[in-house]
Amino acid sequence: MSATAVHSLWTTDGLSASDGLWAHGGLWAAAAEPVAKIDSPQIEYSLIAPTLIVIGAAVLGILVEAFVPRRSRYYVQLFLSVVALVSAFAAVVALAADGRGTTESGIAAMGALAVDGPALFLQGTILLAGLVSVFTFAERRLDPEAHGNRVDSFAAQAASVPGSESEQAAVKAGFTTTEVFPLALFAIGGMLVFPAANDLLTLFIALEVFSLPLYLLCALARRKRLMSQEAAVKYFLLGAFSSAFLLFGIALLYGYAGTVSYAGIADVVDGTVQNVTPALAGTMGNDALLLVGAALILMGLLFKVGAVPFHMWTPDVYQGAPTPVTGFMAAATKVAAFGALLRLLYVVLPGLRWDWRPVMWGVAIVTMLLGAIVAITQTDIKRLLAYSSIAHAGFILAGVIATTPDGISSVLFYLLAYSFVTIGAFAVVTLVRDAGGEATHLSKWAGLGRRSPLVAAVFAVFLLAFAGIPLTSGFAGKFAVFKAAAEGGAGALVVVGVISSAIAAFFYIRVIVLMFFSEPKPEGPTVAVPSPLTMTAIGVGVAVTLVLGLAPQYFLDLANQAGVFVR
Amino acid sequence: MENLIALLVAAPLLGAVILLCGGRRLDRTGHWLGTLLALGSFVVAALLFTDMLGRDGEDRAMHQHLFSWIPVGGFQADIAFQLDQLSMTFVLLITGVGSLIHIYSIGYMEHDERRRRFFGYLNLFLAAMLILVIADNYLLLYVGWEGVGLASYLLIGFWQHKPSAATAAKKAFLVNRVGDMGLSIAIMLMFTTFGTFAFGDVLAATGETSEGKLTAIGLMLLLAACGKSAQVPLQSWLGDAMEGPTPVSALIHAATMVTAGVYLITRSGAIFNAAPDAQLAVVIVGAVTLLFGAIVGCAKDDIKKALAGSTMSQIGYMVLAAGLGPIGYAFAIMHLVTHGFFKAGLFLGAGSVMHGMNDEVDMRKYGGLRKYMPVTFVTFGLGYLAIIGFPGLSGFWSKDKIIEAAFAYGDGVRPWIFGGVALLGAGITAFYMTRVMLMTFFGEKRWQPTPDPHKEPSAEPAADDAHAGEMPHPHESPKSMTIPMIVLAFGSVFAGGLFSLNESFVHWLEPVTAFEHPHPVISVPAITASTMVVLAIGVAIAWFMYGKRPVPVTAPRGSVLTRAARRDLLQDDFNHVVLVRGGEHLTRSLVYVDHTLVDGVVNGTAASFGGLSGRMRKLQNGFARSYAVSMLGGTAVLVAATLLMRAV
């Protein structure tokens, strides 16, 4: 199974200044020499500016929490977050305009990070999705005012026990958890690194950097706090569990290749590197280590994208988390995790693709079918969307499995399309409310189209996009991944995909029928009028959905240009 | 210059968007905006026309490629325009007459509170019609085709509170659907046969294609033309379409949209030329409709429906001519343009009469109006002379040529049959138009008090309660209505002669449609002479029946033919018995199959997936420990499977 030639298909040779150092274990060898002289690391700050800006702003955000008076924190934090995300996005665009995504792509920060097309495209997507999500985080008009203070979706004070006196006191004092903004920024920072990570350790650190804030954010719901905390604990436990597998996989791969660098491992997999590190002579090149290690790392990433059978956390967490966080998580996490998955499979393991492809086939098929089928009987709109996200993970996997350049670009496009639909849909969910907060039970959505035609119509657009109806971004994306999969020799997968889409269409359309063709209930929910923040989020969602549906070609071309990994 | 082409469409389209989305704040100014944009489009058309005149005949076609609409592998659909002499003729007619009718509508719709919407629809129609005639491929043409269908539907049913208008709109839409199916099948056939939709490529490739395929495409195109142009057997909607406001009848259902079928056949000339059987079908349809419409027109007492029958008949002439091949295309289009002038003029005149007569449409309740509405009388009269083919006026030049060409069609009995039909049609045209003229403007007053609209809804609902029970006070219409009528009357008088001067119109179109001189089986002067005789006979009979004798206010029972003609020659009865009943039977049996067989399978599938879903969701039990076990199991399977893949 030597497949050295295949690399040129997906990768270009990078301009890595430090390739030799990390990739071939040079550093370790150097460290072992008696007169060790450790060079100061060489960091190309401009190349990793987007990440630095976001992380820097997150750190500043913590200082804000410490030093800015409570009353103005919300505004300062919102301002800081928006500025950080916008300027980080500008930095991404500047890098792309510089050709860093195409001809000038390369490796930065001593081989730790790749700066190439997929990385920049996904970072841009994550930043935009993050920005829109931050808008929904900052929404303060939906809930009725508590004691004269405007409140958002988050608990007044995270540390207070639900239902306790201290909680009531916090509400009365008008506390708000403005920490959500720096937490979101940290998460976004980790997500920016995740798809760009070019060695396994960076991958792991990025994973933890974006996962930990998410665990916290999940626990912060203002309403139904116990459910929210339960969701957070489950997410944390299972996330930690999967991280352990991932870490173990990393260890095994290091044992196999003697390096954690992607390029280095790939070289060993291809058999182009023969010199064995003395300390690892016993294990290097042992295929069992490679296969088990790869499978474990894949498992860690599949957990993050919510693929079956590692999907169990998704419905519970999506339902329990504050809805803006759910939207953020569903969109941005998926983008970041699929980015990392793509890089792993296309850069590190292309030589192994005859081994992982059949396995991923199985995962994709089960994911699509289970997501679509179980969604049929859901009665809670957030759980419904959670299963829908599982099914979509399956569709995206079909594109990943294509192992062609089209596979990469179609997945990039799908992620862009999907993330905006998702954030928009969850933002609409925050609007439909009754006395207990959001009215997420589907029966309460009956006849919504009669009461609030606009909101129902917007939600219908999102549902149609999820279902992949033409003229929406969902269709363009699904068409792209299925086309790539079919051309990549995964025809059977496409058949299953289309069948699952048909099943999925049933429950999406059912919600539309429910909204427009059922009699509204007398004590049904009301639709809150949001501030311009949420309106922007929803409006952007609709706009992106329609633009990508009506004129997908420009963005497909963009994804195509960006679809080459550096190595 | 070529970049201006898109502007033709863009101006009215912008108007439609603004007027339809603008809301009530545009109620005061909307009609001016709509009219200005229509005029703007006309100005652009005139600019393009002068530019085109400055070039040689072969180089006059202009192209503008906007963008690739759907580029998928071998499938290429473009938004691209082509403006050649044929399209230019239509563009000038559409924007010119369209602008006039916009102006007319300002006065006509003055008291309608939904006037802004009306102008929005009119602009939408203009945009769609322009797309139809300047598209450079069949797919984009189809977009325009459907667009005008939509606009027509919206405008026929504009007074939607009247059940008759709503029904008429629905009927027009449904009948047109049949024709549209024809067009879409034709386009699909083209794609499978030629692999493209572009006019240039399709029409150039007809030489290498089998005649059978071309005949099939031709027949489907004919079906499409029948729907849009109200030709037998899809003619039934046009009479009912007169439920729409009169400017709509003038613009859409007389001058422009209904001629789209003629455009389609002429544009696809290369296909028909290579498929003589399809061409024969076109000629037959044209000839049958020509007589059908004329006979219906003879019996109608509703002025607009009489004119609608006439429209049908005149389009029959055009279709007949278009079916004759290169000897007829130019004359079909020429008659189309002159007809556009005089028929629009006649409809506007009818609207003006109705405006003055409290929206009465029954000609038996008119009479003697010439003194009260002089401008309307003169313009209507000129249109009348033009349509019957009075020597020297527009209709004479164009219709006479068609009769000549019909006498030159094929060999054996064909020229005699089709020439004879065309000649007979001219006589009947003279009869029914004289009848309309006499009943409306001559004789004694037979005016009746306006019926209470609540008891007996008249065709035009603008009859508000204020007029109920009053005697009409006929008066001349406002300037905004008479000026367009005067302009159109000029066209009715002079256009035909101008076009025939040195055969200028024929030479203008020749690069697009090709032209051969017809060689009729009898000499041209003989044909002209017999046309005059037939015309005189028609006028004379009409004068004896309606001029000399008084016209009874209630219609006499009449002969079997008259009664049948009043019922549109039983077209609706036929459709009802054959299509509606048949359709109901078919539906019922299909519903039975659907309920028992299809639903069984579908519901069974749904139920099994639902059951599966119910069982699978039980796995999601809410315990983190079970989830962790499932993850562990999943990982084990993943690892095992990966290792297994290596082993096998």
Side-chain angles (χ1 to χ4, degrees):
Chain A
M1 68 116 257
S2 83
T4 30
V6 294
H7 283 308
S8 56
L9 264 182
W10 314 299
T11 55
T12 58
D13 281 324
L15 306 173
S16 164
S18 49
D19 207 18
L21 217 59
W22 279 98
H24 303 142
L27 186 67
W28 309 118
E33 278 172 23
V35 207
K37 179 170 172 264
I38 300 176
D39 294 329
S40 65
Q42 199 186 342
I43 309 285
E44 298 85 344
Y45 292 102
S46 64
L47 291 185
I48 58 172
T51 315
L52 293 180
I53 292 171
V54 172
I55 299 279
V59 173
L60 264 183
I62 290 180
L63 294 178
V64 168
E65 285 301 320
F67 295 112
V68 172
R70 198 182 282 278
R71 251 178 297 124
S72 38
R73 269 183 219 163
Y74 165 81
Y75 300 99
V76 176
Q77 291 286 22
L78 179 58
F79 177 76
L80 186 64
S81 310
V82 170
V83 168
L85 292 173
V86 169
S87 43
F89 182 72
V92 168
V93 172
L95 286 174
D98 225 18
R100 296 289 175 186
T102 49
T103 49
E104 303 282 310
S105 56
I107 310 269
M110 312 283 289
L113 290 170
V115 183
D116 57 5
L120 289 177
F121 190 96
L122 294 171
Q123 286 177 342
T125 309
I126 292 168
L127 285 167
L128 286 181
L131 182 65
V132 176
S133 300
V134 163
F135 285 156
T136 60
F137 280 27
E139 175 63 54
R140 302 179 94 172
R141 294 230 186 120
L142 295 176
D143 251 336
E145 294 185 354
H147 306 285
N149 298 306
R150 284 200 173 153
V151 295
D152 49 23
S153 309
F154 301 100
Q157 195 172 28
S160 60
V161 177
S164 67
E165 277 176 19
S166 84
E167 186 192 34
Q168 283 168 8
V171 172
K172 208 163 189 175
F175 290 180
T176 49
T177 312
T178 42
E179 289 90 341
V180 292
F181 295 103
L183 283 173
L185 285 181
F186 274 121
I188 293 171
M191 288 171 185
L192 294 182
V193 177
F194 204 46
N198 199 40
D199 68 52
L200 293 171
L201 281 180
T202 315
L203 180 82
F204 179 71
I205 290 167
L207 174 77
E208 294 304 323
V209 168
F210 83 75
S211 295
L212 290 170
L214 283 180
Y215 301 147
L216 286 176
L217 285 169
C218 284
L220 291 179
R222 174 173 287 268
R223 309 260 194 164
K224 300 175 189 155
R225 285 192 65 196
L226 283 174
M227 203 169 157
S228 164
Q229 293 183 347
E230 181 190 328
V233 170
K234 277 182 189 164
Y235 192 19
F236 171 67
L237 286 175
L238 297 173
F241 195 47
S242 84
S243 292
F245 281 112
L246 181 87
L247 204 51
F248 190 41
I250 291 174
L252 291 180
L253 274 197
Y254 177 71
Y256 166 76
T259 169
V260 288
S261 140
Y262 280 6
I265 300 171
D267 284 341
V268 182
V269 172
D270 295 341
T272 48
V273 173
Q274 297 299 340
N275 55 333
V276 178
T277 313
L280 294 168
T283 57
M284 253 191 88
N286 183 336
D287 272 0
L289 288 185
L290 169 67
L291 293 171
V292 175
L296 292 180
I297 294 180
L298 279 181
M299 178 269 169
L301 295 177
L302 290 174
F303 173 83
K304 279 293 162 195
V305 304
V308 179
F310 314 109
H311 67 287
M312 306 289 259
W313 61 277
T314 321
D316 293 12
V317 175
Y318 276 27
Q319 188 186 13
T323 308
V325 174
T326 312
F328 170 60
M329 213 162 45
T333 309
K334 204 151 266 184
V335 177
F338 266 110
L341 187 63
L342 271 181
R343 190 176 294 278
L344 187 76
L345 293 179
Y346 282 63
V347 174
V348 185
L349 302 174
L352 206 61
R353 70 182 188 287
W354 303 115
D355 298 284
W356 61 256
R357 267 187 71 160
V359 180
M360 293 295 277
W361 265 63
V363 173
I365 289 176
V366 188
T367 307
M368 289 189 273
L369 284 176
L370 186 131
I373 292 175
V374 181
I376 295 176
T377 43
Q378 296 307 312
T379 52
D380 184 282
I381 190 76
K382 283 170 84 176
R383 284 185 88 84
L384 180 91
L385 291 178
Y387 280 103
S388 136
S389 91
I390 295 172
H392 281 280
F395 299 141
I396 305 176
L397 278 178
V400 172
I401 292 168
T403 51
T404 59
D406 268 359
I408 304 177
S409 62
S410 68
V411 169
L412 296 184
F413 180 85
Y414 200 114
L415 290 170
L416 173 67
Y418 177 77
S419 48
F420 283 93
V421 180
T422 305
I423 296 178
F426 279 107
V428 174
V429 171
T430 62
L431 302 185
V432 182
R433 314 176 74 90
D434 57 15
E438 287 158 12
T440 54
H441 199 273
L442 265 181
S443 65
K444 299 199 173 152
W445 286 56
L448 191 72
R450 309 258 177 99
R451 289 202 182 144
S452 313
L454 184 64
V455 171
V458 164
F459 198 62
V461 169
F462 291 137
L463 289 172
L464 291 176
F466 278 133
I469 305 296
L471 301 186
T472 62
S473 59
F475 173 75
K478 217 177 251 183
F479 187 80
V481 289
F482 284 168
K483 181 164 162 266
E487 282 168 1
L493 206 56
V494 175
V495 172
V496 177
V498 171
I499 293 174
S500 322
S501 300
I503 300 172
F506 168 76
F507 60 80
Y508 294 128
I509 307 289
R510 198 183 58 157
V511 177
I512 296 180
V513 171
L514 190 73
M515 290 193 300
F516 286 98
F517 301 104
S518 308
E519 285 300 322
K521 290 196 174 172
E523 72 287 3
T526 52
V527 171
V529 179
S531 69
L533 290 165
T534 301
M535 277 191 214
T536 312
I538 297 174
V540 169
V542 173
V544 172
T545 305
L546 294 181
V547 168
L548 260 56
L550 292 170
Q553 202 54 48
Y554 172 77
F555 298 92
L556 279 171
D557 289 345
L558 193 68
N560 251 328
Q561 280 175 24
V564 181
F565 283 107
V566 74
R567 209 185 136 198
Chain B
M1 212 61 190
E2 312 201 324
N3 295 331
L4 285 181
I5 299 178
L7 207 58
L8 284 173
V9 178
L13 197 61
L14 179 74
V17 171
I18 295 178
L19 290 178
L20 295 178
C21 304
R24 299 216 158 269
R25 72 198 84 143
L26 288 173
D27 274 354
R28 290 251 186 102
T29 51
H31 47 285
W32 292 111
L33 179 71
T35 310
L36 274 181
L37 285 168
L39 278 170
S41 190
F42 177 65
V43 170
V44 174
L47 282 176
L48 287 164
F49 179 60
T50 47
D51 181 64
M52 192 183 269
L53 279 182
R55 298 191 228 173
D56 287 339
E58 300 295 332
D59 304 329
R60 280 180 173 164
M62 297 187 236
H63 295 270
Q64 184 181 14
H65 183 268
L66 280 191
F67 57 92
S68 288
W69 183 17
I70 316 170
V72 184
F75 179 92
Q76 177 84 20
D78 287 339
I79 302 288
F81 299 132
Q82 167 186 327
L83 193 68
D84 57 7
Q85 290 91 326
L86 180 61
S87 301
M88 192 72 235
T89 311
F90 271 89
V91 167
L92 286 174
L93 177 74
I94 295 161
T95 54
V97 175
S99 303
L100 287 176
I101 286 172
H102 272 77
I103 296 170
Y104 179 91
S105 307
I106 294 175
Y108 191 85
M109 300 297 284
E110 193 169 0
H111 304 296
D112 198 299
E113 57 186 23
R114 290 162 72 232
R115 178 162 65 167
R116 170 182 57 84
R117 187 175 288 266
F118 181 79
F119 275 84
Y121 291 157
L122 275 190
N123 273 356
L124 177 69
F125 168 76
L126 278 192
M129 188 72 203
L130 288 168
I131 291 177
L132 198 166
V133 296
I134 63 175
D136 97 323
N137 60 69
Y138 282 98
L139 198 67
L140 187 57
L141 178 144
Y142 190 68
V143 173
W145 191 269
E146 292 293 336
V148 294
L150 169 69
S152 159
Y153 167 80
L154 293 170
L155 286 164
I156 295 172
F158 186 72
W159 285 316
Q160 57 205 203
H161 51 271
K162 280 197 305 176
S164 57
T167 315
K170 212 183 286 174
K171 184 173 175 187
F173 199 81
L174 286 175
V175 176
N176 265 297
R177 216 90 283 276
V178 180
D180 297 347
M181 273 315 287
L183 185 54
S184 59
I185 293 173
I187 293 175
M188 291 178 216
L189 282 175
M190 278 175 205
F191 187 69
T192 55
T193 313
F194 307 109
T196 170
F197 310 115
F199 289 148
D201 301 338
V202 169
L203 300 178
T206 48
E208 303 113 51
T209 315
S210 73
E211 197 184 312
K213 272 188 182 170
L214 290 176
T215 307
I217 295 176
L219 289 176
M220 285 300 128
L221 289 175
L222 174 63
L223 181 66
C226 283
K228 203 54 96 196
S229 293
Q231 300 292 295
V232 175
L234 298 179
Q235 82 291 7
S236 64
W237 62 273
L238 187 62
D240 296 284
M242 297 300 130
E243 288 290 343
T246 306
V248 172
S249 312
L251 176 62
I252 301 184
H253 304 119
T256 55
M257 185 192 82
V258 283
T259 59
V262 183
Y263 172 78
L264 185 67
I265 294 174
T266 311
R267 176 57 81 194
S268 316
I271 294 174
F272 284 99
N273 291 345
D277 292 339
Q279 226 167 8
L280 180 64
V282 174
V283 176
I284 293 174
V285 164
V288 170
T289 314
L290 188 169
L291 288 180
F292 190 102
I295 294 171
V296 169
C298 291
K300 290 288 183 186
D301 291 331
D302 179 328
I303 185 168
K304 285 179 73 181
K305 294 206 168 163
L307 289 178
S310 156
T311 304
M312 210 185 275
S313 165
Q314 298 300 317
I315 297 171
Y317 269 111
M318 300 169 208
V319 171
L320 170 70
L324 299 176
I327 58 171
Y329 292 131
F331 300 133
I333 302 301
M334 185 161 132
H335 191 53
L336 191 155
V337 175
T338 55
H339 175 258
F341 283 118
F342 55 68
K343 186 52 67 61
L346 288 170
F347 264 109
L348 296 190
S352 174
V353 169
M354 285 151 54
H355 200 71
M357 293 292 286
N358 292 358
D359 297 306
E360 179 59 66
V361 290
D362 189 348
M363 293 188 292
R364 292 185 182 277
K365 296 173 186 165
Y366 292 166
L369 288 175
R370 67 178 183 283
K371 287 179 215 148
Y372 299 91
M373 313 178 84
V375 179
T376 307
F377 169 62
V378 171
T379 53
F380 195 93
L382 290 172
Y384 154 74
L385 290 177
I387 194 174
I388 64 171
F390 192 80
L393 270 64
S394 289
F396 168 77
W397 298 104
S398 52
K399 200 192 289 176
D400 206 48
K401 291 286 180 195
I402 294 179
I403 299 175
E404 276 171 34
F407 270 113
Y409 176 59
D411 37 28
V413 292
R414 277 190 196 176
W416 296 102
I417 294 177
F418 294 113
V421 166
L423 194 59
L424 180 62
I428 307 180
T429 308
F431 170 78
Y432 67 73
M433 283 311 299
T434 311
R435 175 176 174 272
V436 169
M437 198 66 197
L438 290 173
M439 286 172 87
T440 307
F441 292 103
F442 293 90
E444 72 269 36
K445 304 173 197 169
R446 301 179 299 274
W447 309 342
Q448 305 286 321
T450 312
D452 188 346
H454 297 298
K455 280 182 193 154
E456 192 189 340
S458 69
E460 301 270 321
D464 42 329
D465 295 359
H467 290 308
E470 277 180 32
M471 283 299 280
H473 305 285
H475 53 85
E476 194 51 86
S477 300
K479 283 254 161 39
S480 64
M481 288 170 69
T482 51
I483 289 173
M485 286 154 59
I486 294 168
V487 175
L488 287 171
F490 269 96
S492 320
V493 174
F494 298 114
L498 215 62
F499 291 164
S500 299
L501 215 62
N502 300 329
E503 296 195 311
S504 56
F505 193 80
V506 171
H507 291 312
W508 158 255
L509 278 187
E510 198 175 346
V512 184
T513 59
F515 178 68
E516 289 169 19
H517 269 285
H519 300 290
V521 286
I522 43 175
S523 71
V524 174
I527 295 177
T528 311
S530 36
T531 313
M532 287 304 113
V533 172
V534 170
L535 191 153
I537 296 174
V539 173
I541 297 178
W543 189 74
F544 275 112
M545 286 175 72
Y546 298 96
K548 228 177 149 195
R549 286 184 257 157
V551 180
V553 173
T554 37
R557 198 168 131 75
S559 66
V560 179
L561 183 64
T562 313
R563 270 178 281 148
R566 275 195 200 127
R567 297 185 59 121
D568 299 311
L569 292 180
L570 306 180
Q571 60 185 15
D572 287 336
D573 307 75
F574 174 83
N575 285 351
H576 187 78
V577 173
V578 177
L579 299 178
V580 178
R581 292 263 176 79
E584 277 171 358
H585 278 291
L586 186 67
T587 319
R588 232 172 279 144
S589 26
L590 284 180
V591 164
Y592 177 75
V593 174
D594 186 52
H595 275 179
T596 49
L597 201 71
V598 180
D599 280 9
V601 174
V602 169
N603 291 339
T605 316
S608 58
F609 272 117
L612 195 61
S613 176
R615 260 168 279 145
M616 275 158 78
R617 71 185 288 202
K618 292 208 179 101
L619 294 175
Q620 189 81 23
N621 58 11
F623 292 119
R625 54 177 185 264
S626 330
Y627 297 175
V629 168
S630 121
M631 281 166 61
L632 184 62
T635 314
V637 172
L638 206 63
V639 171
T642 315
L643 289 173
L644 196 68
M645 282 307 135
R646 175 58 61 89
V648 289

